[in-house]
Amino acid sequence: MPLSSRLTSKCQVTVPKEIRKALRLSPGNLVHFAIEGGKAVLRPAPDSHARALKGLGKDAWGSLGGADRFLRRERDSWA
């Protein structure tokens, strides 16, 4: 069943307890909002953006033979 909350006169909203619990949100936590497919999405902000992005492109390097091989070929092409 969808959960609801009403906007206040300042356009603030209370995140329902079930949602706070599922996302492990506490007072003072930072959250990110996005529009995806015409729907608003709320996500807890990561503790560290660098940690959240770590390893994100590692699969891309595999198709290029690895980062070292790719860089070596690029540098060789400059000569």
Side-chain angles (χ1 to χ4, degrees):
M1 177 174 164
L3 301 170
S4 301
S5 188
R6 188 174 306 275
L7 286 174
T8 68
S9 60
K10 293 183 179 183
C11 289
Q12 296 173 333
V13 65
T14 299
V15 179
K17 183 178 182 177
E18 293 87 347
I19 305 274
R20 292 192 314 263
K21 210 171 169 185
L23 296 178
R24 298 181 181 148
L25 295 174
S26 301
N29 286 151
L30 184 63
V31 294
H32 291 178
F33 294 93
I35 302 293
E36 295 178 3
K39 296 179 181 182
V41 178
L42 171 134
R43 289 190 181 93
D47 293 334
S48 163
H49 289 285
R51 198 173 311 127
L53 296 174
K54 182 180 178 182
L56 192 61
K58 69 180 177 183
D59 295 333
W61 288 111
S63 66
L64 299 170
D68 291 334
R69 183 174 176 213
F70 172 77
L71 291 173
R72 197 174 317 110
R73 282 194 322 246
E74 282 296 307
R75 288 176 183 144
D76 290 346
S77 73
W78 301 342

